[in-house]
Amino acid sequence: METEVLYFKKLEGTVLAIDYIEWAFTMLHNRMSTPSLNILASLTEPLNIFEVEEYFNRALYELDITEPSYEDSAKHYVRYLLRQIVDDPGLAIENADEVYTIARDHFHGEEHDRWYEVSELIDDFLYGDNSENITRAYLTQFILQVSKQQLDHHSF
């Protein structure tokens, strides 16, 4: 997990102790190593969030990583969700709904408009009258296409 993605989850209040461990493994995979990072990566269940966050903060200091801005964190998190959709289309509807929420709250223009359209299709499929007879397969394919376009054009 990228630092910016972890920070977005942290700023939104949705971060879990396991997210810090995943971040530590990503950092080690990227050939970064410090004593606190190594300890963080070695922690196992049951995880104490306070202990985990303490080692995370120490690792940040040891790696000289500064806190990313909220906007940068949001952009990275959206790209993370889009990559998840491309890698596992079964997550398309759930992730697309989250992408729309972030786009609505943090971005304007084309990104917001495109995900608003996706959100409307999801709402029609899940809760509306579905007058267009949208199928799960069509909706998933549409979301996958939009996600690939956004990733290819670095829209977020």
Side-chain angles (χ1 to χ4, degrees), residues 24-25 28 32-43 55 59 62:
F25 278 111
L28 291 171
M32 296 183 187
S33 181
T34 71
S36 296
L37 183 65
N38 295 339
I39 292 169
L40 181 59
S42 71
L43 296 177
Y55 281 112
E62 293 166 359

Side-chain angles (χ1 to χ4, degrees), residues 79-143:
R79 285 193 294 269
Y80 170 79
L81 293 171
L82 296 177
R83 283 191 305 271
Q84 280 189 327
I85 291 169
V86 171
D87 292 344
D88 182 1
L91 299 171
I93 294 172
E94 180 182 334
N95 281 16
D97 193 47
E98 193 168 354
V99 169
Y100 168 68
T101 300
I102 296 167
R104 179 195 66 209
D105 294 346
H106 301 286
F107 305 106
H108 303 292
E110 188 176 325
E111 292 95 356
H112 173 268
D113 295 345
R114 189 64 165 163
W115 288 101
Y116 176 77
E117 177 186 355
V118 170
S119 176
E120 288 296 303
L121 288 174
I122 292 170
D123 286 350
D124 283 350
F125 174 72
L126 294 176
Y127 313 112
D129 56 11
N130 198 6
S131 61
E132 305 274 334
N133 294 321
I134 299 167
T135 64
R136 181 173 295 278
Y138 170 80
L139 184 56
T140 299
Q141 190 60 35
F142 183 77
I143 294 168

